Amino acid sequence: MSANFSFQCLASCSQTKARAGVFFTPHGPVETPRFMPVGTLATVKTLTPAQLKETGAQMILSNTYHLHLQPGEAIVAGGGGLHKFMGWNGPMLTDSGGFQVFSLSEMRKISEEGVTFRSPHDGQIIKLTPEKSIEIQNTLGADVIMAFDECPPATASRQEVEAATERTYRWLLRCKSAHQRPEEQALFGIVQGGVYLDLRCQAVEALANLDLPGYAIGGVSVGEEPELIHKIVQATAPLLPHHKPRYLMGVGTYQEMVIAIASGVDLFDCVIPTRWARHGTAMVQGDRWNLKNAKFREDFTPLDETCPCYTCQNFTRAYISHLVRSQEILAYTLLSIHNITELIRFTQRIREAILNNTFVAEFGKWLIPQEMELGRVGE
C-alpha cells in the first residue's frame, strides 16, 4: 500500500468478525464501518456538497462509465479533477464501469480484450477495456479506483461464472499494469465468483497475492435472494486480508449492512437513499415510509424525533407529504438529506458499539441465529 493509503483496525467484536477502523486517504480519513453515498455523475442527486457534508458523509462515489459518456473525463480534468470539479474535498471512489456495462446486456459484447457497447446517449460504439477504464479513472482523480471486472448475472451457469471470474483476474493484472498514479490513487481489486463459494475462495486467494491497497466484494446485487447474498459475504469477507479495507458493493439496507459488518466488511455504497427519496420514500430507523400515504397529511411531527438532520430539525411529516404530493423538488432534497443521514448514523452507531464491544447486544436483532454461528466460525 502507498504511504498515502493505510488501514488501521482499532477494535474487533469478541463474538463476530465485526471491526472498527480508519481508512486513511490523501483527502482525509474514513472511519469504518461506513456507508458511502453514491454520486454517479459527480453529484449526489439533489444535494449540494455542503448539505452532503452535514449528513456525516466522509467518502462518496462517482462512476467512470457515466462520467466518460457525459461530460467526458477531459472536461473533468480541465476543471481541476473530480474533487475540484464537483466541489467535494473529502475522499472519493470511482467505480470501474463494469457493473454498468453488465446492465447493458442487450447492447454490449464481451471479449478478452474488453467490452464493446453502444452508447445509450447517441448510439456511438464505445470500447471499454481494463486499460481504458484505468486511464479514465486516472484522469478523473478519485482517491480509490476500481479494477475493471466482468460481473455475471445471477442466472449465469457455473461455467459462465468460472470464465468471468478468471477473466476478471486477468483484467485486474492489466489494470495494475496500466495504473499510472499509484501514490495518489489506490487500486482496489474486485472478488467475483457468483454464488459459488469455492470460486469466491479461489478469487480471494489470487487477489490477496497481489497485495493491493484494498478489496471489494462484487456481484452480490445482481438478482440473488438476500439469503444467498448473506452466505456469499459471510464466506468471502473473512478471507480478505485483515490489514486492508474491505468494501461490499451495492448494499445499503440495515440487515444487509449488519450481517456484512459481522462478517468483517468496512465500506458500503448504495443508491437506495436518494432513489427512494425521489419516489417520496423516507427511511426511518430501518423502516420504509411512503410519504404519499394519507396518514402523513396532518402529521405535524418530524420524520424522526431522534434524528439530528436538517430535515428532521426543521420540517414535519405533513409538510414533506405536501411537497411529495405536489412533486416539488424540495421534497427530494429533504428526503435525500434524511435518508443519507439515516444510513450514515446507523453505521456510526455500529462503529461505536464495536469500539465498546456491544455490537451483538445492540444490533443482534438484525442477525438471525444461523448467521451468528457462521460469524463465529474460525474465530
Side-chain angles (χ1 to χ4, degrees):
M1 190 179 289
S2 157
N4 293 323
F5 297 93
S6 63
F7 178 78
Q8 183 180 3
C9 182
L10 301 178
S12 298
C13 171
S14 59
Q15 294 174 269
T16 70
K17 293 177 170 59
R19 61 201 202 150
V22 184
F23 175 40
F24 295 95
T25 80
H27 283 87
V30 183
E31 297 173 339
T32 64
R34 197 79 172 197
F35 177 79
M36 304 181 291
V38 176
T40 303
L41 276 163
T43 173
V44 175
K45 292 189 187 303
T46 75
L47 300 189
T48 67
Q51 289 169 324
L52 191 56
K53 200 80 173 172
E54 285 189 9
T55 66
Q58 289 183 336
M59 189 170 198
I60 66 171
L61 278 71
S62 277
N63 183 265
T64 299
Y65 164 81
H66 289 290
L67 289 172
H68 177 59
L69 294 183
Q70 186 177 317
E73 61 273 16
I75 289 177
V76 175
L82 200 47
H83 291 88
K84 191 172 181 184
F85 186 61
M86 69 175 289
W88 175 258
N89 60 7
M92 289 193 72
L93 179 153
T94 43
D95 195 356
S96 68
F99 181 79
Q100 283 67 35
V101 170
F102 147 77
S103 68
L104 295 170
S105 55
E106 302 301 314
M107 305 164 64
R108 51 107 168 118
K109 182 180 178 183
I110 300 175
S111 69
E112 187 63 29
E113 181 61 21
V115 183
T116 305
F117 61 96
R118 192 175 293 279
S119 168
H121 287 289
D122 56 14
Q124 178 185 351
I125 298 294
I126 294 175
K127 191 170 187 178
L128 199 55
T129 63
E131 291 81 6
K132 185 63 177 177
S133 174
I134 296 300
E135 179 190 332
I136 296 167
Q137 293 187 82
N138 282 165
T139 303
L140 293 172
D143 300 272
V144 172
I145 64 175
M146 303 302 299
F148 191 60
D149 62 326
E150 183 180 346
C151 184
T155 54
S157 67
R158 181 185 170 94
Q159 189 176 4
E160 290 169 326
V161 173
E162 201 162 349
T165 304
E166 290 172 358
R167 179 176 282 153
T168 291
Y169 178 73
R170 294 193 296 272
W171 281 359
L172 171 59
L173 295 179
R174 287 165 58 186
C175 287
K176 199 166 180 281
S177 296
H179 187 17
Q180 297 295 309
R181 303 176 64 185
E183 292 302 312
E184 303 155 281
Q185 297 180 290
L187 173 65
F188 279 27
I190 302 175
V191 177
Q192 291 291 352
V195 298
Y196 304 100
L197 301 187
D198 60 321
L199 295 183
R200 293 274 178 179
C201 180
Q202 291 168 25
V204 169
E205 189 175 348
L207 267 63
N209 285 335
L210 297 178
D211 193 29
L212 299 168
Y215 297 88
I217 301 172
V220 294
S221 298
V222 291
E224 310 93 336
E225 291 297 317
E227 294 76 16
L228 207 47
I229 294 175
H230 300 158
K231 285 181 181 176
I232 293 166
V233 173
Q234 289 166 331
T236 307
L239 302 176
L240 291 166
H242 186 266
H243 59 295
K244 305 288 179 71
R246 301 161 174 169
Y247 162 34
L248 179 59
M249 307 176 80
V251 162
T253 67
Y254 269 32
Q255 186 161 45
E256 285 175 333
M257 289 197 295
V258 172
I259 290 171
I261 289 167
S263 306
V265 173
D266 307 302
L267 298 167
F268 307 86
D269 78 283
C270 192
V271 297
I272 280 177
T274 50
R275 179 173 290 170
W276 284 7
R278 296 194 302 280
H279 288 88
T281 300
M283 306 174 77
V284 182
Q285 298 189 19
D287 292 332
R288 186 174 176 175
W289 292 2
N290 182 352
L291 271 297
K292 294 175 186 172
N293 288 348
K295 66 179 180 179
F296 296 116
R297 294 189 74 165
E298 296 182 54
D299 187 340
F300 300 105
T301 58
L303 283 174
D304 182 350
E305 291 182 349
T306 70
C307 180
C309 82
Y310 173 76
T311 302
C312 290
Q313 292 300 310
N314 291 280
F315 304 100
T316 65
R317 299 171 185 178
Y319 179 64
I320 299 169
S321 176
H322 153 65
L323 294 177
V324 169
R325 289 166 174 272
S326 305
Q327 296 185 312
E328 284 290 339
I329 293 171
L330 182 58
Y332 315 138
T333 297
L334 294 180
L335 286 171
S336 292
I337 288 171
H338 169 75
N339 289 349
I340 291 173
T341 303
E342 169 92 4
L343 285 182
I344 290 172
R345 282 182 71 222
F346 185 64
T347 51
Q348 283 177 309
R349 292 200 306 272
I350 290 175
R351 186 175 192 274
E352 287 302 311
I354 296 168
L355 290 169
N356 295 326
N357 201 21
T358 56
F359 171 63
V360 172
E362 291 186 47
F363 297 93
K365 67 179 181 179
W366 301 101
L367 299 164
I368 64 173
Q370 176 193 352
E371 284 155 349
M372 283 299 301
E373 290 304 315
L374 281 169
R376 293 193 185 99
V377 173
E379 282 293 329

